[in-house]
Amino acid sequence: MRPLAWLGIASLCLGAAWAVPAKERRKAEKPKAELALYENLDLDNYDLTLETYGEILDLSNYEELYDYGDLAPKIEVGTLAPHPKDPMTLPDVGTPAETLKLQSPTTAGPVHPVPVPPQDLPSCRLCLCIGTSVYCDDADLEHIPPLPLETTYLYARFNRIGVIRASDFMGLSTSRQGNSQALQWGMGGINSSAWPPVHLLPPLPPEKLKRIDLTSNFISWADVDAFRLLPSLQELILPENRLTALPELPHSIVRLDARLNRIPSTGLRPDAFRDLKQLQFLHLSDNQLDYIPVPLPESLRSLHLQNNNIQTMHEDTFCNSQDHSQIRRALEDIRLDGNPINLSLFPNAYFCLPRLPTGHFF
């Protein structure tokens, strides 16, 4: 029995001694295998793109190599606060009963209506008013809400506005206490007979309004004076609508974007852009224009008329044919591609331009 016991102990020792070198050999072979993977990579021209992503990185065993179970955040049950319910449905237990009593107006002296702050106007209830900007994007609007007089930027994109009236941009004069609309929204349900009579004054347009963005609405019509009475308007953005005519524009306009509408050449007033001395960007692409609207102001820098039905042009469209020394440096961007016009037929129309228009030349 004793020799058998010694034989068993010796076999165990030999097995342990053989396992250690095998483990060390596997550790030594692993770096060699990893180096062999990188030997096939050209590190000088290494560029990871969508086409070479699968060739450079082998993600087949990605989930097996990494276990993110330990990195997942631990959330203890019962530590999160429940979502608050609608405050209109909760009783206000902290309001004393005596504070709910309304005080009737006294006749000791004249009572004047309180000016309505901008945040109480309908536009700031339906939209978001931040400083002098009013954001009404995707608010399911069918018309433009009344704007505070100090409005500088109006964004009413992705709505269902169909018509623009001249009265849409008549703001509420909160500084003029006689405005009837201000009284109506400011007093709420209080009996107006308790207030003394006041003189009613007409609303004024927002004098500081610089930008109107009505992208992607259903606008098919705009009154002639809808924008003309805005003396500070610089940017009018009207793409992706259903306009068939352009209203009159104020002389302060710098950028007009009416792409992707249904405007024919008859929808533009004669000499519509002649007196717009500050107009720099005129974008009327993807409409139904038959000719280039002329005359164009000298201030114009960018003219986009691609994808219309323009077939011809006059030699005086861009340059004065009687003054061959004319150089029109500002107008550097003219897009006429997508029109059935051969620009090579009008070589004398571009001599004053710094660059040829983009379009079909053969």
Side-chain angles (χ1 to χ4, degrees):
M1 295 296 294
R2 182 174 297 178
L4 292 176
W6 283 108
L7 183 60
I9 294 174
S11 62
L12 291 176
C13 293
L14 289 175
W18 176 257
V20 172
K23 186 176 181 180
E24 295 295 329
R25 284 197 304 270
R26 285 195 299 269
K27 290 183 178 180
E29 291 174 358
K30 185 176 180 180
K32 292 181 180 180
E34 294 176 353
L35 290 176
L37 292 176
Y38 291 97
E39 289 177 358
N40 297 327
L41 293 180
D42 186 4
L43 298 182
D44 295 334
N45 299 320
Y46 179 75
D47 186 13
L48 184 60
T49 63
L50 291 178
E51 291 76 12
T52 61
Y53 194 85
E55 300 175 2
I56 296 176
L57 298 180
D58 183 12
L59 303 182
S60 59
N61 296 324
Y62 191 78
E63 296 182 355
E64 298 178 2
L65 296 178
Y66 296 93
D67 183 10
Y68 293 98
D70 295 337
L71 301 180
K74 303 289 191 302
I75 300 178
E76 297 181 2
V77 179
T79 59
L80 297 179
H83 293 287
K85 297 182 180 179
D86 188 358
M88 300 299 295
T89 61
L90 297 178
D92 189 3
V93 297
T95 304
E98 55 270 13
T99 60
L100 299 178
K101 297 180 181 179
L102 294 177
Q103 297 180 357
S104 58
T106 60
T107 57
V111 180
H112 299 284
V114 180
V116 182
Q119 294 297 330
D120 289 338
L121 296 179
S123 57
C124 297
R125 295 174 183 173
L126 297 172
C127 312
L128 177 63
C129 296
I130 302 178
T132 60
S133 299
V134 178
Y135 298 90
C136 298
D137 291 346
D138 200 12
D140 202 27
L141 298 179
E142 296 183 358
H143 57 82
I144 297 175
L147 302 174
L149 274 182
E150 64 273 14
T151 302
T152 304
Y153 304 102
L154 170 63
Y155 301 91
R157 300 165 292 192
F158 313 109
N159 285 286
R160 297 187 293 117
I161 301 173
V163 178
I164 300 178
R165 303 294 184 187
S167 58
D168 289 342
F169 295 103
M170 295 292 110
L172 299 179
S173 178
T174 58
S175 61
R176 302 171 70 175
Q177 298 176 354
N179 190 287
S180 60
Q181 291 177 318
L183 291 176
Q184 178 182 358
W185 286 315
M187 296 179 186
I190 300 178
N191 186 5
S192 59
S193 61
W195 298 85
V198 294
H199 298 287
L200 300 180
L201 298 177
L204 297 176
E207 297 181 355
K208 300 179 181 179
L209 191 57
K210 294 182 179 180
R211 179 187 298 167
I212 298 176
D213 192 340
L214 299 173
T215 299
S216 190
N217 277 273
F218 299 157
I219 303 173
S220 59
W221 176 257
D223 286 349
V224 175
D225 293 336
F227 306 106
R228 186 181 61 85
L229 301 178
L230 302 176
S232 300
L233 185 63
Q234 297 179 1
E235 297 183 71
L236 180 58
I237 317 298
L238 299 170
E240 301 180 29
N241 279 281
R242 303 174 182 177
L243 283 171
T244 57
L246 276 182
E248 190 173 350
L249 301 173
H251 292 175
S252 59
I253 197 73
V254 175
R255 177 189 176 193
L256 173 63
D257 187 349
R259 297 172 291 114
L260 295 164
N261 277 274
R262 306 171 182 176
I263 305 173
S265 294
T266 55
L268 302 179
R269 297 180 301 102
D271 302 338
F273 309 109
R274 177 197 294 272
D275 298 328
L276 303 182
K277 304 301 182 182
Q278 301 184 44
L279 181 62
Q280 298 184 26
F281 304 93
L282 178 58
H283 295 171
L284 296 173
S285 59
D286 295 279
N287 277 281
Q288 302 174 12
L289 300 179
D290 298 322
Y291 55 83
I292 300 175
V294 291
L296 299 170
E298 292 291 332
S299 59
L300 195 63
R301 298 172 52 189
S302 177
L303 176 64
H304 286 188
L305 298 174
Q306 63 267 35
N307 301 323
N308 278 278
N309 193 33
I310 300 174
Q311 303 181 27
T312 185
M313 73 170 65
H314 195 270
E315 290 186 353
D316 292 332
T317 298
F318 303 114
C319 308
N320 184 0
S321 60
Q322 304 300 323
D323 183 8
H324 289 278
S325 62
Q326 179 189 12
I327 299 178
R328 191 167 185 170
R329 301 185 183 277
L331 189 54
E332 294 186 348
D333 179 23
I334 302 177
R335 293 283 306 275
L336 292 172
D337 46 304
N339 285 277
I341 182 175
N342 187 349
L343 298 178
S344 63
L345 299 178
F346 312 95
N348 296 328
Y350 323 122
F351 70 86
C352 68
L353 300 178
R355 297 177 182 173
L356 290 176
T358 301
H360 180 67
F361 278 93
F362 55 87

